[in-house]
């Protein structure tokens, strides 16, 4: 099974290497994993990079953004060694493991899903087994230095990969990535998207030193994306990623690098920070950037009013939840009260808001649809009016695209009535069926000849219009089959807006698009005067466009809400948290009985050893920090040693002190818990 590129420098390191890495971490040093200097790269006649510089350090999570075709994937390939620059230098730390999520992963043809994941973790499982063997040897040979040394190295290796509880982690990954039902199926029998989920699960469980992800949220529903965010942050991955999912970038990235004019421009922080920094930068540039500045400003204004307002509203609710949890320990009935309150808030906008003088496009009554014994749509009733902007959301496989096809007349419902007015519908799906592979761009937009199109009542030259969708003039004579997937999507979407429709139906329109194109698409859709129905897992896109949600619950039920999708998900998560908390309160007495009957657990050998060895180390660091602080207060001392050196040494000592203190406190809490 090939999940990542594996040229000679990239291999799974022996334990001794990871012991060294652990020492580096404790020193608090920033380790440069990859450095690129003055990189030049060309494909045929197209210059990709000219004087590009880039580096990524241990602990960073760097997102690469830029127009499709600008070189984002090439930068990834340079990082792994799959590509080499025409000029310039790429320096990779040979002591680290680099892994990349392949767009088309390969597996052993005889392996099941679970076997495929476990096969990638064989080294970690071998390390677990060796750790147990060494722990037993230490019990009988406590002074054997060779055994103690190897035990320390294996421990550092397992710590680095957080591989102490692999079985539970595998189980959770199978559940969260919706692979549990397929665990005994041959992995090669799954769809391309499902195979990518298997590959992604293997990689995050394996936890390489540097993980490269190219559009990791494609084929993931919103719940899977949230799990991915959680594990990447919790496990403190070092990441280099390409994504068009702006919420994902905002939550994950510590830095954004944008490919611009054959070089990279670096911005600290996530997507919101990038918008502010980019706007400030563009304000100092020439007028040719005014159009982009307007788009960015609108984006930032929406982000400020939409997301911040939602967050402000949520603060009070979250405070109530935390207060309630404390009170509920004394009075569990309060949990039910809070759950009812949250359900009421979640459903406060449920149902239809009928606005007068709006044209009725669809009237749906008691719609039902079942396939292969699975109920996808059950007794669904709603109305779709002119200018409605409706997002259809929910888990993968819950029936979202099925509803679109029923509305389009491509599938027949089992029962129920759909009344449809006289209306024209524009449809976009991932197959881009409206495009002809052998036609050029100009033939696609002007099938009857000429070079002009009518858009929003304006007569425009094809190039002038396509320039808005980031196509250069030389593309006009290119045939559709010569374009990339993202470019075909741009053509299909641009073509939609040259026609006059009463309703647009879009199935995952942002897949394979870069952020700049998504911004343009959002602007077009916000000004569209007809009805808009779209399926999307892109939370940012949904929040920005949708006035109403059709939420597929996965059991045939479809909930209607007028909240933002992010707010809906926040409330849903809080309800689940309360249910889990209520369950834990109910089970608490049973657990106490079990604990009385069970022998008390003890700290592991490693934990007990850390508990004994950490206090003197922490005391040494305290003394060292005092000494360095005194030196900084004494000009004679810091002039002799060098002010910068003393400052750096102090920063490293403080970082190490925080790490060791945190570990010691965790162990004390664990010991107290086990003794209770």
């Amino acid at each position: 099974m090939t999940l990542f590129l594996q040229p000679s420098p990239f291999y799974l390191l022996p334990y001794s290497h990871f012991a060294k890495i652990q020492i580096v971490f404790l020193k608090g040093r920033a380790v440069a994993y990859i450095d690129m200097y003055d990189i030049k790269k060309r494909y045929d006649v197209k210059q990709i990079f000219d004087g590009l510089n880039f580096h990524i350090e241990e602990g960073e999570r760097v997102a690469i953004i830029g127009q499709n075709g600008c070189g984002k994937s090439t930068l990834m390939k340079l990082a792994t060694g799959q590509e080499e620059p025409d000029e310039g230098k790429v320096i990779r730390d040979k002591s680290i493991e680099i892994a990349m999520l392949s767009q088309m992963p390969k597996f052993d043809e005889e392996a099941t899903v679970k076997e495929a994941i476990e096969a990638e973790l064989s080294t970690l499982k071998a390390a677990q087994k060796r750790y147990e063997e060494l722990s037993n040897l230490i019990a009988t040979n406590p002074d054997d230095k060779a055994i103690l040394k190897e035990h320390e190295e294996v421990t550092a290796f397992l710590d680095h990969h957080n591989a102490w509880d692999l079985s539970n982690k595998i189980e959770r990954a199978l559940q969260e990535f919706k692979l549990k039902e397929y665990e005994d199926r041959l992995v090669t029998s799954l769809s391309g998207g499902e195979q990518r989920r298997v590959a992604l699960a293997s990689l995050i469980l394996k936890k390489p030193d540097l993980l490269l992800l190219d559009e990791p949220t494609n084929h993931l529903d919103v719940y899977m994306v949230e799990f991915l965010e959680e594990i990447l942050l919790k496990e403190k991955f070092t990441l280099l990623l390409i994504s068009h999912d702006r919420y994902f970038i905002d939550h994950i990235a510590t830095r954004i690098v944008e490919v611009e004019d054959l070089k990279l421009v670096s911005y600290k922080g996530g997507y919101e920070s990038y918008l502010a920094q980019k706007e400030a930068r563009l304000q100092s540039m020439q007028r040719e950037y005014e159009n982009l500045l307007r788009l960015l400003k609108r984006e930032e204004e929406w982000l400020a009013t939409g997301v911040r307002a939602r967050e402000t509203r949520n603060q009070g609710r979250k405070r109530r939840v935390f207060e309630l949890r404390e009170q509920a320990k004394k009075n569990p009935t309060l949990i039910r009260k809070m759950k009812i309150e949250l359900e009421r808030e979640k459903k406060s906008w449920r149902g239809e808001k009928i606005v007068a003088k709006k044209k009725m496009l669809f009237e749906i009554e008691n719609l039902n649809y079942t396939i292969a014994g699975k109920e996808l749509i059950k007794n669904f009733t709603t109305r779709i009016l002119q200018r409605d902007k409706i997002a259809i959301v929910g888990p993968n496989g819950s029936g979202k695209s099925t509803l679109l096809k029923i509305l389009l007349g491509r599938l027949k419902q089992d029962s129920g009535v759909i009344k449809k007015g006289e209306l024209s519908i524009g449809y976009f799906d991932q197959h881009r069926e409206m495009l002809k592979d052998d036609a050029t761009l100009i033939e696609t937009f002007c099938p009857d000849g000429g070079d002009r199109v009518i858009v929003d009542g304006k007569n425009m030259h094809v190039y002038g219009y396509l320039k808005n969708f980031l196509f250069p003039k030389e593309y006009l004579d290119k045939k559709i089959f010569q374009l990339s997937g993202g470019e075909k999507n741009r053509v299909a979407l641009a073509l939609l807006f040259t026609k006059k429709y009463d309703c647009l139906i879009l199935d995952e329109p942002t897949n394979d698009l870069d952020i700049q194109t998504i911004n343009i698409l959002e602007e077009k859709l916000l000004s569209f005067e007809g009805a808009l129905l779209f399926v999307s897992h892109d939370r940012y896109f949904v929040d920005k466009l949708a006035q109403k949600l059709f939420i597929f619950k996965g059991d045939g039920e479809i909930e209607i809400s007028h909240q933002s999708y992010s707010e809906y998900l926040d409330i849903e998560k809080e309800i689940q948290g309360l249910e889990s908390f209520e369950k834990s309160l109910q089970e608490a007495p049973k657990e106490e009985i079990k604990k009385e009957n069970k022998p008390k657990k003890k700290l592991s050998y490693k934990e007990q050893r850390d508990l004994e060895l950490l206090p003197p180390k922490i005391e040494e660091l305290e003394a060292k920090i005092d000494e360095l602080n005194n030196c900084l207060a004494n000009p004679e001392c810091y002039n002799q040693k060098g002010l910068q050196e003393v400052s750096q040494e102090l920063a490293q000592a403080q970082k190490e002190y925080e790490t060791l203190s945190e570990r010691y406190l965790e162990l004390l809490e664990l010991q107290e818990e086990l003794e209770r």
Side-chain angles (χ1 to χ4, degrees), residues 1 3 107 113-121 124 173 177 179 195-208:
M1 172 183 172
L3 293 182
F107 302 90
V113 168
K114 192 167 185 178
E115 287 168 350
I117 292 174
E118 288 177 338
E120 285 301 306
L121 306 175
L124 298 180
F177 283 132
L179 295 168
Q195 288 188 31
R196 266 177 61 87
R197 296 211 303 267
V198 174
L200 181 58
S202 302
L203 275 180
I204 62 175
L205 290 170
K206 191 173 183 177
K207 198 191 174 190

Short mmCIF file of all heavy atoms in Angstrom, two decimals, residues 1 3 107 113-121 124 173 177 179 195-208:
data_model
loop_
_atom_site.label_atom_id
_atom_site.label_comp_id
_atom_site.label_asym_id
_atom_site.label_seq_id
_atom_site.Cartn_x
_atom_site.Cartn_y
_atom_site.Cartn_z
N MET A 1 0.85 -1.21 0.00
CA MET A 1 0.00 0.00 0.00
C MET A 1 0.88 1.24 0.00
O MET A 1 1.72 1.41 0.86
CB MET A 1 -0.88 -0.03 1.25
CG MET A 1 -1.67 1.22 1.51
SD MET A 1 -2.56 1.03 3.05
CE MET A 1 -3.17 2.67 3.22
N LEU A 3 0.95 5.10 0.44
CA LEU A 3 0.21 6.28 0.87
C LEU A 3 1.00 7.54 0.62
O LEU A 3 0.46 8.61 0.58
CB LEU A 3 -0.10 6.19 2.37
CG LEU A 3 -1.06 5.10 2.78
CD1 LEU A 3 -1.28 5.19 4.27
CD2 LEU A 3 -2.38 5.22 2.05
N PHE A 107 -3.37 0.03 -2.59
CA PHE A 107 -3.46 -0.89 -1.47
C PHE A 107 -3.17 -2.31 -1.93
O PHE A 107 -3.29 -2.63 -3.12
CB PHE A 107 -4.86 -0.85 -0.85
CG PHE A 107 -5.30 0.49 -0.35
CD1 PHE A 107 -5.97 1.38 -1.19
CD2 PHE A 107 -5.04 0.88 0.94
CE1 PHE A 107 -6.37 2.62 -0.74
CE2 PHE A 107 -5.44 2.12 1.41
CZ PHE A 107 -6.11 2.99 0.56
N VAL A 113 -10.36 -3.26 4.74
CA VAL A 113 -10.14 -1.87 5.19
C VAL A 113 -9.33 -1.85 6.49
O VAL A 113 -8.34 -1.12 6.61
CB VAL A 113 -11.50 -1.16 5.38
CG1 VAL A 113 -11.32 0.16 6.13
CG2 VAL A 113 -12.17 -0.91 4.03
N LYS A 114 -9.74 -2.66 7.46
CA LYS A 114 -9.05 -2.65 8.75
C LYS A 114 -7.62 -3.17 8.60
O LYS A 114 -6.68 -2.62 9.20
CB LYS A 114 -9.81 -3.48 9.77
CG LYS A 114 -9.32 -3.28 11.20
CD LYS A 114 -10.28 -3.86 12.22
CE LYS A 114 -9.82 -3.52 13.63
NZ LYS A 114 -10.75 -4.04 14.65
N GLU A 115 -7.43 -4.20 7.78
CA GLU A 115 -6.09 -4.75 7.57
C GLU A 115 -5.18 -3.73 6.88
O GLU A 115 -3.99 -3.64 7.19
CB GLU A 115 -6.18 -6.02 6.71
CG GLU A 115 -6.74 -7.22 7.46
CD GLU A 115 -7.08 -8.38 6.54
OE1 GLU A 115 -7.08 -8.19 5.29
OE2 GLU A 115 -7.38 -9.48 7.05
N ALA A 116 -5.76 -2.97 5.94
CA ALA A 116 -4.96 -1.95 5.24
C ALA A 116 -4.46 -0.89 6.21
O ALA A 116 -3.31 -0.44 6.13
CB ALA A 116 -5.80 -1.31 4.14
N ILE A 117 -5.31 -0.48 7.15
CA ILE A 117 -4.91 0.52 8.15
C ILE A 117 -3.86 -0.08 9.09
O ILE A 117 -2.82 0.54 9.37
CB ILE A 117 -6.13 1.03 8.94
CG1 ILE A 117 -7.05 1.85 8.02
CG2 ILE A 117 -5.69 1.88 10.14
CD1 ILE A 117 -8.35 2.27 8.66
N GLU A 118 -4.11 -1.30 9.58
CA GLU A 118 -3.18 -1.92 10.52
C GLU A 118 -1.83 -2.20 9.88
O GLU A 118 -0.79 -2.13 10.55
CB GLU A 118 -3.80 -3.22 11.06
CG GLU A 118 -4.95 -2.96 12.03
CD GLU A 118 -5.61 -4.23 12.52
OE1 GLU A 118 -5.48 -5.27 11.83
OE2 GLU A 118 -6.24 -4.20 13.60
N ALA A 119 -1.82 -2.50 8.56
CA ALA A 119 -0.55 -2.77 7.86
C ALA A 119 0.36 -1.55 7.89
O ALA A 119 1.58 -1.67 8.00
CB ALA A 119 -0.82 -3.17 6.42
N GLU A 120 -0.23 -0.36 7.83
CA GLU A 120 0.57 0.87 7.87
C GLU A 120 1.09 1.18 9.27
O GLU A 120 1.96 2.01 9.44
CB GLU A 120 -0.27 2.06 7.37
CG GLU A 120 -0.46 2.08 5.88
CD GLU A 120 0.86 2.13 5.14
OE1 GLU A 120 1.67 3.03 5.40
OE2 GLU A 120 1.10 1.25 4.29
N LEU A 121 0.54 0.49 10.28
CA LEU A 121 0.93 0.76 11.67
C LEU A 121 1.77 -0.38 12.25
O LEU A 121 1.94 -0.47 13.46
CB LEU A 121 -0.33 0.98 12.52
CG LEU A 121 -1.29 2.06 12.01
CD1 LEU A 121 -2.54 2.09 12.88
CD2 LEU A 121 -0.63 3.41 11.99
N LEU A 124 4.67 0.62 14.54
CA LEU A 124 4.23 1.10 15.85
C LEU A 124 3.79 -0.07 16.74
O LEU A 124 4.08 -0.09 17.94
CB LEU A 124 3.07 2.09 15.68
CG LEU A 124 3.37 3.37 14.90
CD1 LEU A 124 2.14 4.24 14.81
CD2 LEU A 124 4.51 4.14 15.53
N ALA A 173 -11.10 6.12 14.55
CA ALA A 173 -10.91 6.58 13.17
C ALA A 173 -11.89 5.90 12.23
O ALA A 173 -12.47 6.53 11.34
CB ALA A 173 -9.47 6.34 12.73
N PHE A 177 -14.61 8.37 10.38
CA PHE A 177 -14.50 8.49 8.92
C PHE A 177 -15.52 7.61 8.20
O PHE A 177 -15.42 7.38 7.00
CB PHE A 177 -13.09 8.14 8.45
CG PHE A 177 -12.08 9.23 8.69
CD1 PHE A 177 -10.86 8.96 9.27
CD2 PHE A 177 -12.35 10.54 8.34
CE1 PHE A 177 -9.92 9.96 9.50
CE2 PHE A 177 -11.43 11.55 8.57
CZ PHE A 177 -10.23 11.27 9.15
N LEU A 179 -16.08 4.43 8.21
CA LEU A 179 -15.49 3.25 7.57
C LEU A 179 -15.79 1.96 8.35
O LEU A 179 -15.45 0.87 7.89
CB LEU A 179 -13.96 3.42 7.48
CG LEU A 179 -13.46 4.55 6.58
CD1 LEU A 179 -11.97 4.80 6.80
CD2 LEU A 179 -13.74 4.25 5.12
N GLN A 195 -11.60 5.24 -0.45
CA GLN A 195 -10.21 4.79 -0.35
C GLN A 195 -9.32 5.92 0.17
O GLN A 195 -8.39 5.67 0.95
CB GLN A 195 -9.71 4.32 -1.72
CG GLN A 195 -10.30 2.98 -2.14
CD GLN A 195 -9.65 2.43 -3.40
OE1 GLN A 195 -8.48 2.65 -3.65
NE2 GLN A 195 -10.42 1.70 -4.19
N ARG A 196 -9.61 7.16 -0.24
CA ARG A 196 -8.83 8.30 0.30
C ARG A 196 -9.05 8.44 1.80
O ARG A 196 -8.15 8.81 2.55
CB ARG A 196 -9.21 9.60 -0.42
CG ARG A 196 -8.30 9.91 -1.59
CD ARG A 196 -8.74 11.16 -2.33
NE ARG A 196 -8.73 12.36 -1.52
CZ ARG A 196 -7.67 13.14 -1.34
NH1 ARG A 196 -6.51 12.84 -1.90
NH2 ARG A 196 -7.75 14.24 -0.60
N ARG A 197 -10.26 8.13 2.28
CA ARG A 197 -10.54 8.20 3.72
C ARG A 197 -9.73 7.14 4.46
O ARG A 197 -9.23 7.37 5.56
CB ARG A 197 -12.03 8.04 3.99
CG ARG A 197 -12.88 9.15 3.41
CD ARG A 197 -14.12 9.44 4.23
NE ARG A 197 -15.00 8.32 4.43
CZ ARG A 197 -16.05 8.00 3.67
NH1 ARG A 197 -16.32 8.73 2.60
NH2 ARG A 197 -16.83 6.98 3.95
N VAL A 198 -9.60 5.94 3.87
CA VAL A 198 -8.78 4.89 4.47
C VAL A 198 -7.33 5.35 4.55
O VAL A 198 -6.66 5.20 5.58
CB VAL A 198 -8.88 3.57 3.65
CG1 VAL A 198 -7.91 2.53 4.22
CG2 VAL A 198 -10.31 3.03 3.67
N ALA A 199 -6.83 5.92 3.45
CA ALA A 199 -5.45 6.40 3.42
C ALA A 199 -5.22 7.50 4.44
O ALA A 199 -4.20 7.52 5.15
CB ALA A 199 -5.11 6.91 2.01
N LEU A 200 -6.18 8.42 4.55
CA LEU A 200 -6.07 9.53 5.50
C LEU A 200 -6.07 9.02 6.93
O LEU A 200 -5.28 9.46 7.78
CB LEU A 200 -7.21 10.52 5.27
CG LEU A 200 -7.24 11.77 6.15
CD1 LEU A 200 -5.95 12.57 6.01
CD2 LEU A 200 -8.45 12.65 5.80
N ALA A 201 -6.97 8.06 7.23
CA ALA A 201 -7.02 7.47 8.58
C ALA A 201 -5.68 6.84 8.93
O ALA A 201 -5.17 7.01 10.05
CB ALA A 201 -8.14 6.43 8.65
N SER A 202 -5.08 6.11 7.98
CA SER A 202 -3.79 5.46 8.24
C SER A 202 -2.71 6.48 8.55
O SER A 202 -1.91 6.30 9.48
CB SER A 202 -3.36 4.64 7.02
OG SER A 202 -4.33 3.67 6.69
N LEU A 203 -2.69 7.56 7.78
CA LEU A 203 -1.64 8.57 7.95
C LEU A 203 -1.74 9.30 9.28
O LEU A 203 -0.74 9.53 9.95
CB LEU A 203 -1.70 9.58 6.81
CG LEU A 203 -0.97 9.20 5.52
CD1 LEU A 203 -1.13 10.30 4.49
CD2 LEU A 203 0.51 8.97 5.79
N ILE A 204 -2.95 9.68 9.68
CA ILE A 204 -3.06 10.44 10.93
C ILE A 204 -2.79 9.55 12.14
O ILE A 204 -2.34 10.03 13.18
CB ILE A 204 -4.41 11.19 11.07
CG1 ILE A 204 -5.58 10.22 11.09
CG2 ILE A 204 -4.56 12.23 9.98
CD1 ILE A 204 -6.91 10.89 11.33
N LEU A 205 -3.07 8.24 12.01
CA LEU A 205 -2.74 7.31 13.10
C LEU A 205 -1.24 7.05 13.15
O LEU A 205 -0.66 6.88 14.22
CB LEU A 205 -3.49 5.99 12.90
CG LEU A 205 -5.01 6.06 13.12
CD1 LEU A 205 -5.67 4.78 12.67
CD2 LEU A 205 -5.36 6.36 14.57
N LYS A 206 -0.61 7.05 11.99
CA LYS A 206 0.83 6.80 11.91
C LYS A 206 1.63 7.98 12.43
O LYS A 206 2.71 7.83 12.99
CB LYS A 206 1.19 6.51 10.45
CG LYS A 206 2.58 5.98 10.23
CD LYS A 206 2.73 5.58 8.76
CE LYS A 206 4.07 4.97 8.50
NZ LYS A 206 4.20 4.53 7.10
N LYS A 207 1.11 9.19 12.25
CA LYS A 207 1.70 10.44 12.69
C LYS A 207 3.17 10.59 12.29
O LYS A 207 4.08 10.49 13.12
CB LYS A 207 1.57 10.62 14.20
CG LYS A 207 1.79 12.08 14.60
CD LYS A 207 1.94 12.29 16.07
CE LYS A 207 2.29 13.74 16.37
NZ LYS A 207 2.66 13.97 17.75
N PRO A 208 3.41 10.88 10.99
CA PRO A 208 4.79 11.17 10.56
C PRO A 208 5.25 12.51 11.12
O PRO A 208 4.43 13.31 11.59
CB PRO A 208 4.66 11.24 9.03
CG PRO A 208 3.24 11.65 8.80
CD PRO A 208 2.44 11.02 9.90
#
